[in-house]
């Protein structure tokens, strides 16, 4: 059984559609370890999150293929987190928004950066790198 944090991370980390199909086919052949490795290869998913992603695929759930889709999924899963990240971006605290996202999920640094950048783009703010207490 995977943790809810790993499941959330799997649902908010983009995985190319081709990789998702390959992983599903490998799992159907009973090659679970290879399927998990395929999901991890380009996505940045950790072992537990990749295993959760494979479980989701087996359940018929599609994973996001873009950061836009991943941000939409995060909004459905944890609207409060998106609101907190939005508030931080509104104050120009991009790094704090990334840190918060990474604390609440197991998303890697690059994934966190790209998700926050996607949110920032939707908001149309500059979201500089400032952090709390660095005036």
């Amino acid at each position: 059984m995977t943790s809810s944090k790993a499941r959330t991370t799997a649902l908010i980390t983009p995985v190319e559609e081709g990789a998702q199909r390959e992983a599903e086919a490998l799992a159907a052949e009973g090659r679970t370890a290879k399927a998990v490795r395929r999901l991890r290869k380009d996505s940045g998913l950790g072992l537990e999150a990749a295993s959760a992603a494979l479980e989701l695929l087996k359940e018929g759930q599609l994973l996001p293929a873009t950061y836009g889709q991943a941000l939409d999924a995060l909004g459905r899963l944890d609207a409060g987190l998106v609101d907190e990240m939005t508030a931080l971006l509104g104050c120009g605290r991009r790094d704090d928004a990334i840190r918060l996202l990474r604390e609440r999920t197991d998303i890697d640094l690059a994934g966190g950066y790209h998700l926050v950048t996607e949110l920032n783009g939707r908001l149309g703010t500059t979201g500089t790198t400032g952090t709390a207490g660095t005036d």
Side-chain angles (χ1 to χ4, degrees), residues 64-78:
T66 66
Y67 282 102
Q69 292 171 352
L71 183 57
D72 293 340
L74 180 59
R76 290 187 300 274
L77 291 167
D78 194 343

Side-chain angles (χ1 to χ4, degrees), residues 39-118:
L39 290 173
R40 294 185 71 193
K41 183 178 178 184
D42 298 316
S43 67
L45 286 169
L47 182 58
E48 188 177 7
S51 296
L54 185 58
E55 287 178 27
L56 290 163
L57 288 172
K58 287 179 183 179
E59 294 168 6
Q61 174 94 30
L62 290 176
L63 303 175
T66 66
Y67 282 102
Q69 292 171 352
L71 183 57
D72 293 340
L74 180 59
R76 290 187 300 274
L77 291 167
D78 194 343
L81 174 56
V82 174
D83 290 344
E84 289 179 62
M85 291 166 46
T86 299
L88 289 167
L89 288 171
C91 297
R93 295 170 53 195
R94 183 194 68 198
D95 289 351
D96 288 338
I98 295 167
R99 189 173 298 111
L100 177 66
L101 175 62
R102 294 192 68 217
E103 287 171 359
R104 299 265 185 94
T105 69
D106 284 331
I107 197 163
D108 69 340
L109 180 59
Y113 170 82
H114 289 297
L115 264 179
V116 169
T117 299
E118 178 72 26

Side-chain angles (χ1 to χ4, degrees), residues 114-129:
H114 289 297
L115 264 179
V116 169
T117 299
E118 178 72 26
L119 176 58
N120 199 37
R122 288 186 186 183
L123 298 172
T125 60
T126 58
T128 61
T129 61

Side-chain angles (χ1 to χ4, degrees), residues 23 26-38 51 54 58:
L26 289 165
E29 296 170 2
R31 300 168 67 191
T32 303
K34 189 162 183 133
V36 169
R37 280 195 305 275
R38 180 61 187 106
S51 296
L54 185 58
K58 287 179 183 179

